[in-house]
Amino acid sequence: MHKIKDTGFWILISIGILLTIFLLLGQTLSLIDYDLTVSLGLQESVEEVSEVGIAWAKGFAFGDTVFYLPLLVMGIIGLLKKRAWGLYSMFGALAITVYWPIVSLFAIFIGKDALNLDPGKYVSFSIVLPLIVIYGLWGMWYLYKNRNELVN
């Protein structure tokens, strides 16, 4: 029988906790002090993405703060408690985890002439964002495969 506390479970939870921290620092904090998140390298400046880009970034930050972040936290807590609502919450959060990096990568690709990003960001985004997509897809597969062992 498959044990709930296997390596896959802890990878899922650990990366989920890291994403929670990054969401709090990069998204929620940007709603409070956008310039601080820019200085921390967690958001793009107006020179890089324009005022319209800042508006979109703040819109995503708001959505992440009121929906994605609570869903992710509920997923982590619920899975640790072996509750069905944790499984469903985490699955929903992982779907968002797949969605947003794909949107971001595509926007960067089609907007490369309109954006003024540092060249290093193009490189780091093209590495980190696909890894986040892979985590989200793997996480959904893991939850589906182990659903009976993950809940009471």
Side-chain angles (χ1 to χ4, degrees), residues 97-112:
T97 303
V98 171
Y99 173 80
W100 74 260
I102 291 172
V103 169
S104 297
L105 281 169
F106 188 73
I108 290 167
F109 175 74
I110 65 168
K112 64 183 175 289

Side-chain angles (χ1 to χ4, degrees), residues 46-101:
V46 69
E47 293 81 23
E48 292 175 296
V49 296
S50 79
E51 290 289 341
V52 173
I54 301 295
W56 280 100
K58 287 182 178 182
F60 275 102
F62 180 77
D64 287 349
T65 299
V66 300
F67 190 74
Y68 181 26
L69 187 58
L71 203 57
L72 185 57
V73 170
M74 286 174 34
I76 292 167
I77 293 169
L79 285 174
L80 289 169
K81 293 181 165 228
K82 294 186 74 169
R83 301 290 188 252
W85 53 265
L87 179 81
Y88 302 130
S89 297
M90 183 59 92
F91 200 94
L94 289 168
I96 297 169
T97 303
V98 171
Y99 173 80
W100 74 260

Side-chain angles (χ1 to χ4, degrees), residues 6 8 11 27 37 43 49 51 67 98 104 115 125 131 149:
D6 67 356
I11 289 171
Q27 298 295 75
T37 58
Q43 290 288 351
V49 296
E51 290 289 341
F67 190 74
V98 171
S104 297
L115 299 173
F125 288 164
L131 290 174
E149 290 86 18

